[in-house]
């Protein structure tokens, strides 16, 4: 009798293991690859967007963070890219969602026309042709394009006529090069983009900020996460320190197109919605999985939404008067920092 | 004589059959085998003499041994333990001599420390054997405890249970997998949860194990985010119960509760009525201090035994049964009145919505349940007076109690610290509006105080805290959070909306229906499982229908305590087992009286409705 009992318990365990295997193996697999680290607010907001859509879907999800903001050197990027490829090959996902340019450059582009894996890109500043995605059968995604129209509207409301010169300041990363390209092609009128300055070191940055008041009326900051401490010390400056220094020393206001700028202590940002990037990629993934689509069946999109971030202390410091509707918008999204 | 190979084989096998060793793990037995030796002694040879240092425990496997006090033989055994006093360091108390050629297993006490650490029953078994030497009319102790008739039936029950545990989830998965009503994770939730419920209903495993199974399965199958699944282990209630266990453990192990009981009885007027009232009163005081009805029964039964003997009541007579009933019900009846009287109360507290939970910590729980408690007490006293009326007059008991108090000596440092801990806790509860520290964190601070002063030793921390229950509690809270995450609570609310409407529009009739459902379920489902299942379903339902979830939770706690047959109630079974050798109460009368108490419970709920309305919680 005791043996029968043991046998049935064993049978139960076997049934459970088989059930668990059946459930787990039948789940479509999504591999989410971030170019940056989890503690970066941009990444965090993308993940919130992903969770909103992925929430109760029966998918197995694996995450990988390349952390290339804190380690911008080429060797590291190549090494982490190889590591990511190794993990992806081992896990053998159905879909690879790659966020931001480094993930495309060092990982995702190697899966073009892969027999099983479909690639969805997001947060990509480069053109799809840069990675041959335009010719691929298994690739789709959402481009990250700075909401320049919204940005111009905002600047029109805060800068008086005659004070409309812009200087663009960024680090010297690959992403910043794409952004500069985009800026140079854009029609800024009635504003004037007087200069694009990509800084390698913090000293370069400080020098540019100091010169800015003679050249422009507003500093336009995009990426600043790969700036080295000095020419002799290639370690990366803490982003908050850069913004803190800029805020304390700049005679003209600085704004950005990324939410992390305000999170790091900046005054104002009209940015791409990271939530939208996360949500849209997962919607595309669901479309591919549930409707058995190929990547090319889903057209490549551009981001449609933007978000506003504000810091009250910064606005007061530069005596900026923001139309109440913008303030309410930022407050409604919980993006208003007191 | 050292062991030869064949003897080693025999002893290795034999050791597993010795009382106390049967429940030991093989790994612990394997560790002590090298220390065990075997000895043969001739007739008239001394095994040991009184006063010799006691370093070995002996087990007589063949022959005959006499235990001598001076020249007088007071016990003679042919199988069993000898030298039990060696368990507590010191010297042997009697002379032990072979009456015929005897074979003895020698177990050095030093080698037993690990077994005693992991298996507290071992020590009780040895003490029990020692006491047996001094009892004149001793009953034969069975060599094996196995009940040959019961075991196959029990196994059959388990086999059927496990078969259901395979079939029920499979049927549920098959049924819901083709349905569009549920999302995939709700389907998995139902499949896994149904397996756990089957395990609970058939009592296949200790009740916390299905919780471990559910939590592990949810994590493996990604049914919900890990922070939801594991939320119970991060909840206030988890840490609150952890500290309560710690404090209660100190109260019991320090002897403070026992001293308190004796103290109250010493000043009780000597009459049948007042002794029963004293036991009820003691029950009322001890109930919120010790969070387990079983632990309270263990505390009160020896006192009850002493009282019955000292008071000279007729065995199984009305007076002794009345006294037993007062002890049993006094220590168990008011469990739902005090939050800290029963671990299951914390399950209900943990399942309450956040905004309700804060309103029902200690004092407010007690105030809300006060009417129920008063009605229970009132009817208990009335019915007990009618039921157990007897002309027997108790003999004086005061001297015996005074003797016991004398043996306890002055209040020890451990008792003082235990009292201090409880006082800080009580003051903390009453002054919570001033200090603004949440009670779970206050109780953790007190636990730290008890641990740092070594009032609660590391050993007591391991053994005094019911870690299995904590897993059960954490698991259940996690299950409810996952249930809400997968949306099954909304589904139940919709499906049971008729009952919800009933609950909302005709609460008095709802109580009766609810009562019938619970008592029927209780015939097949254990108490704590009924609480878990009903609370999980009906607390969200009551919230959705605008009825205070605490009221439903409290009713579940009260009704789930109903029992008609001893198998339905673990603490009654314990009470019966602890008192079976003494036969001091009439079991049939107790069970009949319990039926009246069941009715009293329903009356208490109906009687409380007006009070709850008055408090504005209904």
């Amino acid at each position: 009798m005791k043996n029968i009992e043991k046998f049935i318990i064993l049978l139960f365990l076997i049934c459970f293991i088989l059930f668990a295997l059946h459930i787990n193996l039948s789940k479509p697999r999504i591999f989410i690859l971030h170019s940056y680290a989890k503690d970066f607010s941009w990444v965090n907001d993308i993940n919130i967007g992903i969770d909103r859509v992925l929430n109760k879907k029966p998918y197995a999800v694996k995450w990988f963070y390349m952390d290339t903001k804190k380690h911008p050197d080429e060797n590291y990027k190549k090494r982490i890219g190889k590591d990511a490829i190794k993990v992806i090959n081992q896990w053998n996902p159905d879909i690879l969602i790659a966020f931001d340019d480094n993930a495309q450059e060092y990982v995702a582009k190697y899966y073009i026309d892969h027999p099983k894996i479909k690639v969805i890109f997001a947060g990509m500043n480069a053109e799809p042709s840069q990675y041959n995605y335009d010719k691929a059968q298994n690739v789709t995604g959402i481009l990250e394009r700075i909401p320049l129209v919204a940005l111009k509207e905002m600047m029109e409301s805060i800068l008086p006529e005659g004070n409309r010169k812009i200087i663009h300041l960024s680090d010297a990363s690959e992403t910043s090069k794409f952004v500069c390209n985009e800026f140079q092609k854009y029609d800024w009128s009635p504003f004037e983009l007087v200069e694009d300055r990509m800084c390698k070191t913090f000293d370069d940055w400080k020098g540019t900020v100091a010169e800015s008041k003679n050249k422009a009326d507003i500093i336009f900051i995009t990426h600043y996460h790969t700036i080295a401490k000095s020419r002799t010390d290639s370690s990366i400056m803490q982003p908050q320190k850069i913004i803190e220094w800029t805020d304390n020393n700049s005679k003209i206001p600085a704004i950005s197109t990324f939410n992390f700028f305000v999170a790091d202590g900046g005054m104002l940002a009209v940015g791409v919605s990271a939530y939208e990037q996360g949500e849209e990629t997962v919607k595309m993934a669901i479309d591919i999985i549930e409707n058995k689509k190929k990547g090319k069946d889903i057209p490549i999109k551009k981001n449609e939404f933007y978000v506003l971030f504000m810091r009250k202390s910064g606005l007061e410091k530069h005596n900026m008067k923001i139309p109440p509707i913008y303030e309410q918008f930022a407050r409604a999204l919980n993006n208003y920092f007191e | 004589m050292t062991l030869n190979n064949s003897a080693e084989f025999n002893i290795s096998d034999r050791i597993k059959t010795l009382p106390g060793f049967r429940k030991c793990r093989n790994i612990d037995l394997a560790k002590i085998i090298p220390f065990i030796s075997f000895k043969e002694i001739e007739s008239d040879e001394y095994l040991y003499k009184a006063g010799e240092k006691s370093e070995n425990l002996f087990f007589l496997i063949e022959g005959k041994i006499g235990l001598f006090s001076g020249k007088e033989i007071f016990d003679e055994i042919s199988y069993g333990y000898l030298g039990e006093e060696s368990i507590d360091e010191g010297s042997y108390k009697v002379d032990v001599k072979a009456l015929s050629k005897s074979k003895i297993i020698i177990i050095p006490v030093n080698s037993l420390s690990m077994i005693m650490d992991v298996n507290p029953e071992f020590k009780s078994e040895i003490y029990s054997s020692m006491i047996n030497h001094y009892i004149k009319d001793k009953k034969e102790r069975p060599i094996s405890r196995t009940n040959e008739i019961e075991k196959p039936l029990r196994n059959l029950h388990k086999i059927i249970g496990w078969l259901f545990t395979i079939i029920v989830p499979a049927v549920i998965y098959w049924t819901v997998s083709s349905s569009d009503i549920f999302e995939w994770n709700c389907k998995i939730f139902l499949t896994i949860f149904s397996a756990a419920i089957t395990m609970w209903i058939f009592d296949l495993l200790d009740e916390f194990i299905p919780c471990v199974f559910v939590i592990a399965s949810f994590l493996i199958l990604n049914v919900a985010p890990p922070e939801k699944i594991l939320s119970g282990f991060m909840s206030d209630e988890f840490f609150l119960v952890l500290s309560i266990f710690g404090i209660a453990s100190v109260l019991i192990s320090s002897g403070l509760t026992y001293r308190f009981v004796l103290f109250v009885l010493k000043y009780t007027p000597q009459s049948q009525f007042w002794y029963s009232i004293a036991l009820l009163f003691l029950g009322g005081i001890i109930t919120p201090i010790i969070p387990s009805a079983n632990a309270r029964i263990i505390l009160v039964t020896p006192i009850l035994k002493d009282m019955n003997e000292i008071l000279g009541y007729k065995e199984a007579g009305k007076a002794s049964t009345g006294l037993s009933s007062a002890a049993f019900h006094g220590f168990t009846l008011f469990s739902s009145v005090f939050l800290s009287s029963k671990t299951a109360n914390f399950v209900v507290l943990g399942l309450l919505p956040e905004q309700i939970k804060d309103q029902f910590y200690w004092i407010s729980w007690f105030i809300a349940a006060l009417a129920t408690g008063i009605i229970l007490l009132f009817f208990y006293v009335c019915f007990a007076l009618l039921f157990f009326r007897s002309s027997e007059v108790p003999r004086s008991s005061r001297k015996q109690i005074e003797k016991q108090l004398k043996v306890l000596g002055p209040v020890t440092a451990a008792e003082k610290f235990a009292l201090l801990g409880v006082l800080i806790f009580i003051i903390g509860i009453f002054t919570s509006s001033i200090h603004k520290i949440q009670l779970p964190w206050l109780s953790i601070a007190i636990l730290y105080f008890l641990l740092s002063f070594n009032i609660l030793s590391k050993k007591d921390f391991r053994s005094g805290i019911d870690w299995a229950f904590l897993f059960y509690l954490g698991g259940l809270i996690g299950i409810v959070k996952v249930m809400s995450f997968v949306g099954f609570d909304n589904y139940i609310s919709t499906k049971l909306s008729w009952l919800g409407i009933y609950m909302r529009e005709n609460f008095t009739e709802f109580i009766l229906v609810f009562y019938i459902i619970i008592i029927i379920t209780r015939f097949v489902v254990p108490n704590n499982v009924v609480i878990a299942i009903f609370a999980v379903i009906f607390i969200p339902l009551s919230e959705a229908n605008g009825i205070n979830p605490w009221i439903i939770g409290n009713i579940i706690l009260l009704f789930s305590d109903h029992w008609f047959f001893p198998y339905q109630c673990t603490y009654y079974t314990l009470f019966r087992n602890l008192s079976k050798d003494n036969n001091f109460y009439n079991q049939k009368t107790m069970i009949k009286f319990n039926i009246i108490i069941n009715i009293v419970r329903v009356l208490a709920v109906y009687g409380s409705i007006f009070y709850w309305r008055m408090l504005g919680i209904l």
Side-chain angles (χ1 to χ4, degrees), chain A residues 33-312:
Chain A
L33 177 70
H34 278 287
S35 296
Y36 312 128
K38 209 175 181 178
D39 57 0
F40 189 29
S41 58
W42 164 256
V43 173
N44 204 23
D45 290 348
I46 287 176
N47 287 348
I48 292 171
I50 291 173
D51 284 339
R52 278 181 195 159
V53 184
L54 208 56
N55 196 8
K56 292 176 187 174
K57 288 285 174 191
Y59 303 151
V61 183
K62 203 174 180 81
W63 308 72
F64 193 100
Y65 298 89
M66 293 171 70
D67 198 10
T68 56
K69 276 271 187 243
K70 286 188 214 121
H71 308 279
D73 58 292
E74 196 61 20
N75 283 341
Y76 174 83
K77 287 184 199 170
K78 280 181 181 165
R79 186 170 55 76
I80 196 76
K82 280 180 188 167
D83 288 348
I85 288 170
K86 208 183 288 177
V87 178
I88 292 167
N89 290 343
Q90 268 175 8
W91 203 56
N92 193 21
D94 298 284
I95 289 177
L96 165 65
I97 303 180
F99 288 97
D100 296 297
D101 287 278
N102 286 334
Q104 321 302 331
E105 175 64 32
Y106 296 95
V107 184
K109 72 177 186 186
Y110 298 108
Y111 291 91
I112 286 176
D113 292 335
H114 189 280
K116 184 191 172 193
I117 301 173
K118 313 282 184 297
V119 177
I120 300 173
F121 63 81
M124 195 171 85
N125 297 96
E127 290 300 323
S129 55
Q130 174 82 21
Y131 308 109
N132 290 328
Y133 287 167
D134 51 338
K135 294 171 197 139
Q137 298 294 304
N138 66 334
V139 179
T140 186
I142 176 163
L143 296 163
E144 181 196 334
R145 293 292 177 260
I146 291 169
L148 294 169
V149 176
L151 191 73
K152 264 202 319 194
E153 274 176 21
M154 165 61 83
M155 288 197 295
E156 275 174 1
S157 69
I158 60 172
L159 290 177
E161 281 182 39
N163 289 334
R164 292 189 165 179
K165 287 181 182 165
I166 309 163
I167 185 163
H168 173 221
L169 191 55
S170 69
D171 57 21
S173 62
E174 280 298 307
T175 308
S176 293
K177 284 175 196 163
F178 299 130
V179 172
C180 283
N181 272 339
E182 196 182 342
F183 280 11
Q184 278 159 13
K185 287 178 199 161
Y186 187 66
D187 174 15
W188 285 95
S189 60
F191 296 91
E192 184 190 351
L193 180 66
V194 292
E195 194 174 341
D196 263 317
R197 185 73 76 91
M198 290 199 284
C199 305
K200 282 189 177 168
T201 67
F202 190 40
D203 289 335
D204 294 347
W205 182 281
K206 287 199 271 194
T208 312
V209 170
E211 289 165 19
S212 296
K213 69 165 185 165
N214 301 323
K215 295 180 179 173
D217 302 301
I218 195 161
I219 304 175
F220 190 23
I221 296 175
T222 49
H223 294 92
Y224 48 90
H225 297 80
T226 61
I227 290 174
K229 282 185 179 163
S230 65
R231 284 185 200 286
T232 49
D233 180 0
S234 63
S235 61
I236 300 303
M237 273 296 294
Q238 216 182 323
Q240 293 87 345
K241 296 271 179 202
I242 296 172
I243 301 306
E244 189 187 332
W245 185 93
T246 310
D247 193 44
N248 289 336
N249 294 283
S250 174
K251 304 291 178 201
I252 54 173
I255 64 170
S256 179
T257 52
F258 293 102
N259 58 356
F260 46 75
F261 173 72
V262 178
D264 288 340
M267 178 187 79
L268 181 69
V270 182
V272 175
S273 168
Y275 307 123
E276 185 195 16
Q277 297 281 317
E279 284 174 13
E280 283 304 315
T281 50
V282 178
K283 281 180 191 166
M284 287 174 174
I286 294 169
D287 199 11
I288 290 172
I289 292 165
E290 292 184 359
N291 301 317
K292 310 263 184 250
K293 284 186 178 171
K294 288 180 185 171
K296 69 156 192 177
D297 298 338
I298 303 170
I300 291 170
K301 281 184 170 181
K302 275 187 189 174
N303 52 293
E304 289 176 7
F305 304 116
Y306 65 93
V307 279
L308 259 181
F309 288 78
M310 288 182 195
R311 184 175 291 278
K312 189 181 175 187

Side-chain angles (χ1 to χ4, degrees), chain B residues 353 483 489-504 510 514 534-549 552:
Chain B
M483 184 197 240
D489 55 345
N490 288 337
Y491 177 78
I492 292 179
S493 297
T494 318
K495 284 287 157 190
L496 293 179
S497 56
W498 63 274
L499 205 55
I501 293 164
Y502 210 28
M503 187 192 277
R504 195 173 59 226
F510 167 79
F514 200 44
F534 277 75
V536 162
I537 295 169
F538 283 92
I539 284 180
L541 189 68
S542 65
E543 199 193 356
N545 285 282
I547 300 289
N548 192 316
I552 297 299

Side-chain angles (χ1 to χ4, degrees), chain A residues 5 16 27 55-58, chain B residues 155 159 162 184 217 221 485:
Chain A
E5 188 193 329
F16 172 70
K27 279 180 186 171
N55 196 8
K56 292 176 187 174
K57 288 285 174 191
Chain B
N155 281 343
I159 288 167
W162 280 110
W184 79 275
S217 308
L221 298 169
F485 178 80

